Amino acid sequence: MSERKVRVRFAPSPTGPLHMGGVRTALFNYLFAKKYNGDFILRIEDTDQTRYVPGAEEYIIESLQWCKLQFDEGVSEGGKYGPYRQSERKAIYKQYADQLIASDNAYFAFDTPQELDDLRAKYEAEKKTFTYDSSIRKSLKNSLAFSKDETEKRLASGEHYVIRFKMPENSVIIMQDIIRGEVKVTSSTVDDKVLFKSDGMPTYHLANIVDDHLMEISHVIRGEEWLPSLPLHVSLYRAFGWENTMPQFAHLPLLLKPTGNGKLSKRDGDKLGFPVFPIYWPYGETARGYREDGYFNDAFINMLALLGWNPGTEQEIFTLEEMIKLFSLERVNKSGARFDPEKAKWFNNQYLQKKTNEELADLYLPYLQGKGINAGKMMVAEVVALVKERVNFVHELWEQSFFFFQAPESYDENVVKKKWKEETPEILKNILKFLSGISFENRNEMEEELKKYLETNQIGFGQVMNALRLTIVGSGMGPDLLTIMSMIGRDETIKRVEKGLETIKLHQV
Ligand code: GLU
C-alpha cells in the first residue's frame, strides 16, 4: 500500500430506496477504510435533478445508521472537504468543464434533443446504433465542426448547449482494477459523453471525477455496473492532468438473483418473499426492509459481507471488528455473488441463538406488550430459553410460545382426530381432580406424582399427555408440557383443561 492516506467514499444518488447491493458497497468501503485507519465519506450525488426523489437521501442515511456504518465525513458529519452534497457544489464544476474545453479535451455541442432523437431513429431504421463519437462528431453541430466565430456567435446568442468529452481517438485505454486486474478498452468503442448539461449542472461523470479529485479519494470501491464508465473516468483523469493522484479502482461483483441469471431485483424479492432493501421504503410503491422484517443489523451486515468477499476460511460468523481485520479487496471475487434468502435467515438465526435469554426477553417484551400482555422479564426470559431454538426471528417467538401467555383459541383438528379418543374426557376429568391436589412448584416432582397416579390407575402416559397438551397448547406442538404447566400454574392449567373438555366435546358432535 502506498503512503497515501486511505480515503474512500460511498457516493449514492438519491433516486429511490438504497438496494442491498448499495449497502454492501458502503460496507466494503467502510471495512477497507477502517482496516487502513482511513476516512469513510458519504457524498450525495444529486446532480441529476430529473431523477431526484424526495426522502431518498434521508432513507440512505437512516439505512446506514441502522447498519452502524459510521461516516467520518459527509452531509451530516461535515468535514473539511465539504460540502458533501453535489447540488451544493454546483459552482465548482463549470471551471473544470471550461478547463477541458481550453485544453481541447471537450467541446460545445448544440444538437437539440429532438435532432439527436431523429438521428437515433434514422440509424435504427437502418439497423445501426447511433453513437456520438469520434467517427461522426465532425458532422454534427458542435464546436469541433463549426468555426470559432460560429461557435462564439451561438454561445453569445444564448443557444442551449452541452459540453461533451472529446474521447481520444484510436487509442487503447489500459486500466487497473484491484479485483479484476488489467482492463483494456479501445477508445473508439466509447462515445463522447456529456459532461455538462444545459441546465448548468454537471453530469455524474464530471462531478464524480472532480469531487474524487478534490476530496483526495484514494480508492474508488463501487459496483460492477460502473465498470463500463471506467475508460471515460480514467481518460478524464488524464485529460485533467491528475493521473498521478488518480484513485485506485475496485469494481465489486453484482448481486445475483437466487436462481437464474441476472441482477437481484425488487421483483425477485416480491416474488419469493424477501426484502431487497435495508429498511422499509414508505414512499410511492412501498417496499419491505430487512429491519422491519425482523433482521438484526449485525446479522444483515455479516450476511452482506460474504456476498462477494471470501475470507479464505470456513468461518461465516464475524463481528464487525473481525471483518475489519480480515477484509481485503484482493479476496473479493470477480464473479457475481448469488443471494440466498434462506441463508439470510440462517444468519439471523445464528445471531439470535447467540443472544442471552435476557437480551431476547428485552426484545420480545415490547412485542408482547403490543398484544396487551404484561409479563415479567424473568418469566419471559424463561419462556425464551425454552423455544428460541425453534425460531429465526424475535417475532417468531410468539407462534412458539403464545400458550405461556394466553389460552389457545382453537384446537388443531388433526390432533383432535388422532389423539382425542372416546375415553379421553373421562380420563381428563379424573386428571383434573388429581391436578388440583398436587403442587405445581416443581416440574420434576409433578412428573413423579403424575407417573405414580397413572401407574396406579393403569393409564398410558402418552395418551394423557397428548390430550392434555391439546387443551393447554391447542395443538401437538411446544416444549415439555409439564414445564409449561408449572409455568402457567395450577389455576390456569385447570381452566384450560376444563375449557378443552367443553369445547372439544362439542367439536366431536
Ligand atoms: N452516484 C453513483 C451511484 O449512484 C456513484 C458511483 C460511483 O461510486 O462512482 O452509484
Side-chain angles (χ1 to χ4, degrees), residues 177-189:
D177 182 280
I178 299 174
I179 297 168
R180 285 147 216 281
E182 189 174 277
V183 183
K184 268 192 210 168
V185 164
T186 325
S187 67
S188 55
T189 61

Side-chain angles (χ1 to χ4, degrees), residues 9 11-13 45 204 208 220-222 226 233:
R9 82 309 190 267
S13 300
E45 300 208 322
Y204 153 74
N208 184 272
V220 167
I221 304 167
R222 61 184 175 190
W226 298 103
H233 293 179

Side-chain angles (χ1 to χ4, degrees), residues 84-98:
Y84 293 90
R85 198 177 281 115
Q86 286 186 329
S87 57
E88 290 167 19
R89 301 171 64 82
K90 194 173 159 185
I92 297 175
Y93 306 111
K94 180 67 168 57
Q95 57 188 294
Y96 290 99
D98 289 342

Side-chain angles (χ1 to χ4, degrees), residues 108-380:
F108 298 105
F110 301 95
D111 322 79
T112 64
Q114 185 59 51
E115 285 165 346
L116 293 174
D117 279 349
D118 292 347
L119 273 168
R120 267 182 222 115
K122 198 176 133 217
Y123 272 67
E124 225 167 84
E126 293 166 23
K127 300 231 178 318
K128 289 191 289 188
T129 326
F130 170 73
T131 33
Y132 208 120
D133 63 14
S134 58
S135 69
I136 195 179
R137 57 166 84 112
K138 287 265 170 50
S139 66
L140 295 164
K141 290 168 113 181
N142 57 52
S143 56
L144 298 176
F146 297 151
S147 68
K148 206 162 177 263
D149 281 357
E150 169 82 27
T151 301
E152 265 159 25
K153 218 168 68 205
R154 284 176 184 256
L155 290 175
S157 75
E159 190 174 331
H160 273 295
Y161 67 84
V162 299
I163 295 176
R164 282 182 185 271
F165 186 57
K166 191 176 159 197
M167 199 65 201
E169 266 166 79
N170 299 324
S171 61
V172 177
I173 307 166
I174 299 176
M175 302 154 281
Q176 299 298 330
D177 182 280
I178 299 174
I179 297 168
R180 285 147 216 281
E182 189 174 277
V183 183
K184 268 192 210 168
V185 164
T186 325
S187 67
S188 55
T189 61
V190 186
D191 60 341
D192 289 353
K193 281 273 181 317
V194 174
L195 300 178
F196 206 82
K197 294 173 291 181
S198 52
D199 63 2
M201 279 291 214
T203 58
Y204 153 74
H205 301 292
L206 179 67
N208 184 272
I209 270 41
V210 167
D211 285 347
D212 281 349
H213 173 71
L214 295 178
M215 294 183 181
E216 297 182 31
I217 298 302
S218 63
H219 296 78
V220 167
I221 304 167
R222 61 184 175 190
E224 184 180 329
E225 62 273 28
W226 298 103
L227 193 58
S229 299
L230 189 58
L232 169 66
H233 293 179
V234 168
S235 302
L236 274 166
Y237 280 102
R238 290 181 182 153
F240 278 122
W242 297 338
E243 204 178 344
N244 287 342
T245 54
M246 180 168 79
Q248 294 185 53
F249 292 93
H251 289 86
L252 307 175
L254 290 178
L255 296 194
L256 304 176
K257 330 173 160 292
T259 51
N261 294 325
K263 238 167 101 169
L264 177 67
S265 71
K266 176 171 184 292
R267 217 169 321 132
D268 300 314
D270 292 344
K271 219 168 53 195
L272 299 168
F274 61 82
V276 296
F277 302 112
I279 64 177
Y280 177 66
W281 171 256
Y283 311 106
E285 192 194 330
T286 59
R288 64 202 277 185
Y290 279 88
R291 183 177 67 183
E292 291 72 16
D293 269 25
Y295 281 84
F296 299 121
N297 51 1
D298 41 8
F300 175 59
I301 284 298
N302 193 156
M303 180 272 293
L304 278 183
L306 289 167
L307 288 176
W309 171 57
N310 165 15
T313 61
E314 294 293 299
Q315 188 180 347
E316 290 186 284
I317 303 295
F318 299 92
T319 63
L320 199 57
E321 288 66 36
E322 283 175 310
M323 285 191 247
I324 291 169
K325 222 168 95 198
L326 294 168
F327 184 77
S328 82
L329 287 170
E330 284 73 20
R331 295 213 69 97
V332 173
N333 304 329
K334 277 200 268 286
S335 50
R338 192 171 295 290
F339 173 69
D340 175 358
E342 290 311 311
K343 188 79 190 197
K345 287 184 198 156
W346 177 85
F347 274 103
N348 211 62
N349 181 294
Q350 298 294 304
Y351 276 77
L352 189 143
Q353 305 308 334
K354 269 199 327 206
K355 292 199 191 295
T356 65
N357 299 328
E358 288 68 30
E359 283 170 329
L360 288 172
D362 280 333
L363 296 170
Y364 190 23
L365 274 165
Y367 185 93
L368 290 172
Q369 277 149 14
K371 293 207 167 272
I373 292 162
N374 282 311
K377 180 171 167 181
M378 287 254 289
M379 185 265 183
V380 174

